């Protein structure tokens, strides 16, 4: 169990802790700040584990499987919880999660054909905006223009979700077609 894999497991363990503080209305802003700190720490481990694994040649099959799974669990859990508490529209969450399933399916078909589909810049921008959006929506700051800023972040995240989906499909549709003929 190397350091990148431990960071991935740590990220997964932080998910329920994040959710507990997100749902603790009795703590008010303090609870939201703690939830954001936990989410930010978990998000940072995503960046850190990949960087350490590549730099030190510590890439493992466990990491290849668990790292993207932990990322999806973190983001999807946050989005579903934010929808549940009324801070994010359910249809937006459905689109974002559907994109994750579609891309995971593409990657599964590609891997069966011996092809690795790397993360694109659009996917990285999407992830960055989603994480910033989740942080801002979680904080639920009641400043004059914060609602507008949150809405901009939500719709930019949604647009990047769709752009990255279409980018993946456009660049990799042949893998899916070739995989379906086998």
């Amino acid at each position: 169990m190397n350091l990148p894999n431990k960071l991935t497991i740590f990220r997964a363990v932080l998910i329920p802790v994040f959710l507990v503080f997100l749902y603790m209305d009795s703590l008010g802003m303090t609870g939201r700040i703690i939830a954001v700190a936990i989410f930010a720490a978990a998000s940072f481990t995503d960046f850190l584990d990949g960087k350490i694994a590549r730099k030190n040649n510590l890439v493992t099959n466990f990491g290849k499987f668990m790292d993207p799974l932990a990322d999806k669990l973190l983001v999807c859990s946050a989005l579903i919880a934010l929808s549940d508490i009324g801070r994010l529209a359910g249809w937006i969450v459905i689109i974002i999660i559907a994109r994750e399933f579609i891309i995971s399916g593409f990657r599964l078909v590609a891997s069966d054909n011996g092809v690795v589909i790397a993360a694109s810049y659009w996917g990285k921008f999407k992830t960055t905006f989603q994480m910033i959006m989740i942080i801002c929506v979680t904080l639920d700051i009641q400043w004059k223009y914060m609602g507008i800023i949150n809405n901009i972040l939500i719709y930019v995240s949604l647009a990047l979700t769709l752009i990255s989906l279409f980018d993946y499909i456009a660049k990799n549709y042949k893998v899916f077609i070739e995989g379906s003929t086998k």
Side-chain angles (χ1 to χ4, degrees):
M1 186 60 58
N2 62 33
L3 179 59
N5 290 344
K6 288 177 182 175
L7 289 171
T8 297
I9 291 170
F10 180 63
R11 179 165 61 257
V13 168
L14 287 178
I15 295 168
V17 180
F18 160 74
L19 292 172
V20 165
F21 283 99
L22 180 63
Y23 277 104
M24 290 185 96
D25 285 338
S26 62
L27 294 177
M29 181 55 96
T30 302
R32 295 192 303 267
I33 290 170
I34 293 169
V36 163
I38 293 166
F39 182 84
S43 297
F44 184 68
T45 66
D46 178 30
F47 164 77
L48 199 56
D49 67 7
K51 190 170 183 86
I52 292 169
R54 286 185 296 276
K55 181 180 178 186
N56 298 307
N57 197 26
L58 296 172
V59 177
T60 64
N61 287 334
F62 176 84
K64 288 179 192 176
F65 173 75
M66 276 304 295
D67 180 60
L69 181 60
D71 298 342
K72 286 173 183 36
L73 286 172
L74 175 65
V75 171
C76 291
S77 296
L79 294 172
I80 291 167
L82 289 169
S83 177
D84 184 45
I85 61 176
R87 294 194 199 142
L88 196 55
W91 67 270
I92 292 172
V93 174
I94 290 168
I95 291 171
I96 292 171
I97 292 175
R99 182 255 183 220
E100 297 305 326
F101 277 100
I102 292 167
I103 297 304
S104 293
F106 257 88
R107 286 192 166 134
L108 184 61
V109 170
S111 71
D112 283 348
N113 292 316
V115 177
V116 175
I117 299 177
S120 72
Y121 287 110
W122 286 114
K124 291 178 182 183
F125 290 142
K126 172 222 36 123
T127 300
T128 301
F129 266 88
Q130 283 178 355
M131 290 180 173
I132 292 167
M133 178 266 295
I134 288 167
I135 287 170
C136 289
V137 173
T138 298
L139 283 173
D140 193 31
I141 296 172
Q142 300 299 312
W143 293 339
K144 184 176 182 179
Y145 297 108
M146 202 61 201
I148 294 168
I149 292 168
N150 284 349
N151 281 332
I152 290 169
L153 289 170
I154 290 166
Y155 287 106
V156 168
S157 294
L158 182 62
L160 289 171
T161 295
L162 294 171
I163 290 167
S164 68
L165 171 63
F166 296 133
D167 180 59
Y168 272 106
I169 291 170
K171 288 180 180 173
N172 301 293
Y173 73 93
K174 290 178 183 174
V175 171
F176 189 72
I177 292 170
E178 291 167 5
S180 67
T181 61
K182 289 187 178 184

